[in-house]
Amino acid sequence: MSSIKEEIEKANKIATGRLMDSEPHWVDMDIAEKVIKTLKGMTLLHAGPPVTWERASGPLKGALIGAAIYEGWADTPEKAKRLLETNEIKFIPTHPHNVVGPMAGVVSPSMPVFIFHDPKFGNYAYSNMNEGLGKVLRYGAYGDEVINRLKWMDRVLYPALKATIKEYRKDNPKGLNFKNLIAQALHMGDECHNRYTATNALLLKEISPYLFQSGINKKDIIETYRFIANNIIFPLNMGMASAKLMSLAAHNIKYSTIVTVMTRNGTDMGIWVSGLGNEWFTGPSPVPKGVWFPGYSQKDANPDIGDSSITETAGFGGFAMAAAPAIISYVGSTVEYAVENTRRMYEITYTKHKYFTIPYLNFQGTPTGVDVRKVIATGITPTINTGIAHKEPGIGQVGAGIVTFPLDPFKTALKRFAEKYGL
Amino acid sequence: MKTVKIKAVVVGEKIPSLKGEKGKTLSIFRNTVNVHVKNELITITAKSISSPNNVNLDLIEFLKHVTDFRNKLVPEDTIYVFNEYISFQKSRLLIHTSGSRIFSVKDELRKLRKKCRGINTNELRAASKEFLRIAAIINKEISTEFLPEIIDSSLSIYEVLLNSSKPRVYLPKEALKHLGLGDGLTPAYDDFLGGLLGTLNPLLSLKGSRRILVFRGNSLNKTTLISKYLLASLFKGEANNLILNVLNTYCMNKHEALLDKLIDLLQLGHSSGTYLGVGSIIALLIDSMLLKETPPPISTARYIIEDVLSNY
């Protein structure tokens, strides 16, 4: 047993080292089906572990319906629903394809995606573009305003960003180093899951000259700039693609007990563990406690949903709440809680981040690398902050809050670990 | 200093009977404080472990207002138990208990009465070995140092139950002589004995054998104060929800779920959970051996227990 423990220690050190040393760069934009090889025909990607239509949550169903309308596969929600019920439209999880999407996380073949590259470990990851807050596809809304915004994003935002990053790479061949942006933003009051206010400002500061000199027309430049500037959560999807690259670098390390995916589909919550490959370990997704938009309450809330907990998997987001006291006005609770949540997460993580630090905690590194062993040893499970979707399809976001993951997926993973490694 | 108020979500069945009583804080941890009131140990905790003596706080509410009992609570503070709240005088903390769910062991056991089937010895042995492997992987393995004491006292308990038909069976001296063995607020051997008695006594009463293990006079005085109170409670069958969950899977013959419930115990203390789990497993093994038409002799029982504890 002692040699196995040494192997686990060695593997976890390697996994978390790779996670921290990963270098996610934004390198390009493209249409999803061109770069995500499995996204062919009438197939949609969704956040979280696999789920059937019967068990899918309201917001996920809503987003899948909306994506079918957006793609032109159906012209009414009813027709879209029928195609999904009969499996003519297939829907599969994002993570196995190196894709991440917030909330329902639905990515369809025609959608433009960010392309992120990690030159250190050679991986690529993808995410869709962020639509803003309120009635949006990712929260399960699919009305005309949602589809029209997506079409505008295809027509204006996508070409503008593609031209911008192309121009940017003339001066910075590796692309835009998003890890640097996150590290800076953590010192400016963001935690980089639900608060990206500083990151957004940094992003605009970095890309604006290249947007202006990209050669696209002035009207589209102004619309693009305004859209990003007015959407304080715009960098979320980019932060998630970066986090995916970090956790991907830590994935598939033999004997490692480090969690490399934590995600939810609105019905189930699921994890991957580095030493166990792409095997899902799932449990019921919990309902967040939070702050409600006017007219809504806890009874409207869907269980937690989205790939965005990849940020905590990579050592920021809710785990870095001590860096972001202002997040409390969005997700509820107190500043003390924000600090304490970070402190608690040290109890279940393998190490402190080398590059992501928290000024309030004397520049301690953020809690990094959830270790399944520590979760079981303490009974403490990851706690994150999150947006809250309405439980019915077609409505959208109703609040934001805090959620603690269930213990069962971690327990099942540890049992499987013991079985796989013959302990 | 402003008084902080936190609502309790679950209150153990003993708490209401303590109203009007005065007590003192005994030990203060990050998420848990132990309080001594009228010869009872009351545990107020933000962990989700319920027992007849526990007061459970909602974790998020707790972290919003207190974050760490060690910063908030004055050592040896005086506390009062009122009808609807528990008050920490100098620490300016009020725990509201009105409207909280009551945790009752009797209610939990009532659900199992008359339908406790048990799990066979071989399946128990497999689950036990797996439990000990998992404990070792997470660095909470049992120390081989205490194994002889654990095995001998387990066998002494099996023997006394095997040979007695009296309703009240005294815990053999062999089982009591190692009390206090090990480090910590609740020494390792005490945790083991706690797990064994906390599981076996409710089980014996469920099985209608009407036998229950009791201890003599002041036998518990040789261990720490907290351990003494915990053991005294467990002797009376006042188990926590984690032990009751183990009991439940055993009774309902859910051998696959048994391991999950044993793993839940591992979150307790540094190694307390492992020793509690070992005690609980031995209790189930004793019950399953006693259930056989011809219960195995001591020599066979020794082989089974040694096999479970040593081969991982």
Side-chain angles (χ1 to χ4, degrees):
Chain A
M1 184 59 81
S2 63
S3 67
I4 297 292
K5 284 202 222 174
E6 283 164 20
E7 293 286 357
I8 293 172
E9 278 302 313
K10 260 192 269 173
N12 287 349
K13 198 171 177 187
I14 292 168
T16 51
R18 286 170 64 96
L19 186 152
M20 294 186 286
D21 288 336
S22 161
E23 291 176 358
H25 286 73
W26 174 30
V27 292
D28 202 356
M29 307 288 295
D30 212 329
I31 300 301
E33 66 184 342
K34 290 188 184 168
V35 285
I36 305 161
K37 301 298 174 203
T38 44
L39 198 52
K40 297 289 177 210
M42 284 166 59
T43 303
L44 299 171
L45 298 175
H46 69 83
V51 69
T52 59
W53 178 259
E54 291 71 31
R55 292 188 69 245
S57 62
L60 178 54
K61 282 181 173 171
L64 292 168
I65 289 169
I69 295 171
Y70 160 83
E71 285 290 339
W73 298 336
D75 53 9
T76 65
E78 292 71 29
K79 284 182 191 166
K81 197 178 156 199
R82 230 173 4 254
L83 291 170
L84 287 154
E85 278 171 344
T86 54
N87 212 24
E88 284 170 78
I89 299 175
K90 296 187 169 38
F91 48 99
I92 54 176
T94 46
H95 270 289
H97 311 286
N98 296 355
V99 183
V100 278
M103 303 307 288
V106 170
V107 175
S108 69
S110 308
M111 268 182 199
V113 289
F114 288 106
I115 302 175
F116 273 67
H117 176 54
D118 173 4
K120 178 104 178 170
F121 298 108
N123 295 317
Y124 284 87
Y126 313 91
S127 185
N128 49 2
M129 296 187 293
N130 193 284
E131 314 152 72
L133 295 170
K135 283 207 167 192
V136 287
L137 187 80
R138 70 176 188 279
Y139 279 93
Y142 53 74
D144 286 348
E145 64 178 295
V146 175
I147 305 299
N148 289 341
R149 189 188 303 109
L150 290 172
K151 294 293 181 188
W152 173 85
M153 289 165 77
D154 293 354
R155 208 173 53 246
V156 176
L157 187 63
Y158 162 58
L161 289 175
K162 188 168 176 72
T164 301
I165 191 61
K166 190 178 173 192
E167 200 63 23
Y168 185 89
R169 290 187 69 186
K170 288 178 183 167
D171 287 345
N172 308 274
K174 277 187 178 176
L176 194 154
N177 185 330
F178 218 81
K179 185 162 124 183
N180 282 353
L181 245 57
I182 293 169
Q184 287 179 67
L186 292 177
H187 288 188
M188 296 167 71
D190 283 358
E191 39 69 84
C192 295
H193 179 162
N194 271 296
R195 186 177 165 86
Y196 272 100
T197 311
T199 322
N200 209 28
L202 291 169
L203 176 68
L204 276 173
K205 176 174 143 305
E206 192 74 13
I207 65 170
S208 291
Y210 302 97
L211 171 66
F212 301 150
Q213 69 192 40
S214 62
I216 59 171
N217 71 67
K218 190 177 168 187
K219 182 174 164 284
D220 287 357
I221 288 177
I222 293 169
E223 282 187 20
T224 296
Y225 186 92
R226 279 198 176 137
F227 182 81
I228 297 173
N230 292 334
N231 177 8
I232 51 169
I233 203 79
F234 183 79
L236 166 63
N237 302 43
M238 305 170 85
M240 287 171 60
S242 303
K244 178 65 188 172
L245 282 178
M246 294 170 191
S247 63
L248 206 50
H251 194 51
N252 277 327
I253 307 290
K254 196 178 174 187
Y255 288 112
S256 173
T257 54
I258 300 299
V259 173
T260 47
V261 166
M262 295 193 286
T263 184
R264 315 80 87 200
N265 59 30
T267 303
D268 301 318
M269 182 266 165
I271 64 168
W272 286 0
V273 174
S274 176
L276 297 175
N278 292 11
E279 191 172 342
W280 288 104
F281 303 99
T282 62
S285 187
V287 179
K289 290 182 179 173
V291 176
W292 306 100
F293 292 175
Y296 296 108
S297 67
Q298 186 84 37
K299 67 179 169 44
D300 300 305
N302 193 76
D304 201 25
I305 181 167
D307 287 332
S308 55
S309 39
I310 193 68
T311 56
E312 285 82 7
T313 315
F316 52 100
F319 284 16
M321 271 171 84
I327 187 78
I328 291 311
S329 61
Y330 182 59
V331 298
S333 195
T334 61
V335 172
E336 289 81 2
Y337 174 81
V339 174
E340 192 57 23
N341 191 58
T342 295
R343 288 204 173 115
R344 272 173 65 80
M345 294 304 103
Y346 286 119
E347 295 188 44
I348 56 168
T349 44
Y350 184 77
T351 190
K352 293 175 183 173
H353 207 289
K354 282 194 281 187
Y355 308 110
F356 297 157
T357 59
I358 301 175
Y360 182 76
L361 299 180
N362 289 323
F363 294 90
Q364 257 188 108
T366 56
T368 301
V370 173
D371 185 342
V372 172
R373 295 174 308 164
K374 291 189 172 188
V375 172
I376 299 303
T378 58
I380 296 172
T381 55
T383 300
I384 68 160
N385 53 56
T386 184
I388 306 173
H390 197 284
K391 62 187 174 189
E392 297 299 333
I395 297 176
Q397 184 174 9
V398 293
I402 289 164
V403 73
T404 298
F405 289 147
L407 190 62
D408 280 355
F410 299 89
K411 240 189 304 189
T412 318
L414 192 59
K415 286 192 293 181
R416 177 77 183 101
F417 186 90
E419 185 190 343
K420 176 171 175 174
Y421 290 103
L423 307 175
Chain B
M1 192 169 58
K2 202 175 149 192
T3 299
V4 171
K5 300 171 188 171
I6 308 180
K7 173 123 183 55
V9 286
V10 183
V11 169
E13 61 193 327
K14 277 207 170 160
I15 310 299
S17 68
L18 296 172
K19 81 178 173 196
E21 298 293 342
K22 181 179 163 187
K24 262 198 176 352
T25 56
L26 271 184
S27 52
I28 303 168
F29 301 96
R30 190 169 186 160
N31 298 322
T32 299
V33 55
N34 289 313
V35 172
H36 180 203
V37 186
K38 197 191 169 191
N39 287 324
E40 294 286 353
L41 179 75
I42 303 302
T43 299
I44 297 168
T45 181
K47 291 186 168 191
S48 52
I49 299 159
S50 303
S51 90
N53 292 36
N54 279 18
V55 175
N56 295 105
L57 310 174
D58 177 84
L59 177 65
I60 292 177
E61 282 304 305
F62 169 75
L63 294 177
K64 271 185 197 175
H65 299 292
V66 175
T67 72
D68 190 337
F69 271 135
R70 290 170 304 190
N71 298 334
K72 173 69 188 164
L73 295 183
V74 177
E76 298 202 353
D77 197 359
T78 305
I79 71 137
Y80 293 96
V81 182
F82 293 105
N83 206 13
E84 297 193 323
Y85 55 90
I86 299 169
S87 157
F88 288 71
Q89 289 295 284
K90 289 183 203 151
S91 311
R92 314 277 298 183
L93 175 68
L94 285 182
I95 308 291
H96 279 258
T97 53
S98 63
S100 310
R101 185 168 71 80
I102 300 283
F103 175 81
S104 160
V105 172
K106 279 179 204 146
D107 288 349
E108 298 294 319
L109 291 177
R110 199 170 293 132
K111 295 174 200 165
L112 298 175
R113 205 170 293 282
K114 290 184 184 167
K115 52 182 180 183
C116 190
R117 286 178 285 163
I119 295 175
N120 75 47
T121 310
N122 285 340
E123 282 168 344
L124 277 178
R125 285 160 81 175
S128 310
K129 282 169 182 281
E130 197 67 14
F131 168 72
L132 291 169
R133 282 191 199 106
I134 299 273
I137 294 172
I138 66 167
N139 298 318
K140 288 193 168 190
E141 60 265 73
I142 53 169
S143 163
T144 48
E145 197 186 336
F146 306 132
L147 282 181
E149 288 82 359
I150 285 175
I151 292 165
D152 287 347
S153 74
S154 301
L155 287 167
S156 69
I157 290 169
Y158 177 66
E159 187 171 21
V160 78
L161 287 170
L162 192 63
N163 298 328
S164 172
S165 54
K166 291 178 184 167
R168 284 164 65 84
V169 181
Y170 281 106
L171 200 63
K173 280 181 187 164
E174 179 64 37
L176 283 165
K177 75 179 185 191
H178 309 299
L179 276 176
L181 193 64
D183 297 327
L185 280 173
T186 56
Y189 180 83
D190 297 16
D191 287 327
F192 152 74
L193 194 60
L196 192 151
L197 296 169
T199 309
L200 195 55
N201 269 348
L203 200 50
L204 291 172
S205 69
L206 273 179
K207 291 297 181 75
S209 72
R210 302 190 177 196
R211 283 178 295 181
I212 188 161
L213 285 156
V214 294
F215 63 93
R216 288 172 206 275
N218 55 4
S219 338
L220 300 183
N221 280 347
K222 61 193 282 194
T223 187
T224 65
L225 191 59
I226 287 182
S227 198
K228 174 184 160 180
Y229 283 124
L230 284 173
L231 281 169
S233 292
L234 289 166
F235 263 105
K236 289 182 249 169
E238 295 165 355
N240 65 37
N241 61 327
L242 300 183
I243 289 181
L244 288 174
N245 288 343
V246 171
L247 199 58
N248 188 302
T249 53
Y250 174 76
C251 281
M252 306 305 277
N253 191 17
K254 294 178 182 168
H255 64 273
E256 283 170 6
L258 174 65
L259 177 59
D260 279 352
K261 300 306 172 192
L262 287 168
I263 291 172
D264 285 342
L265 288 169
L266 292 172
Q267 65 186 274
L268 298 171
H270 289 294
S271 59
S272 291
T274 315
Y275 285 99
L276 271 169
V278 167
S280 202
I281 289 165
I282 301 284
L284 301 181
L285 277 170
I286 288 175
D287 184 70
S288 82
M289 290 190 288
L290 288 172
L291 268 182
K292 289 179 193 278
E293 209 169 305
T294 313
I298 299 298
S299 56
T300 309
R302 174 177 285 278
Y303 167 77
I304 290 169
I305 291 171
E306 278 182 351
D307 173 58
V308 163
L309 294 180
S310 57
N311 185 20
Y312 70 90

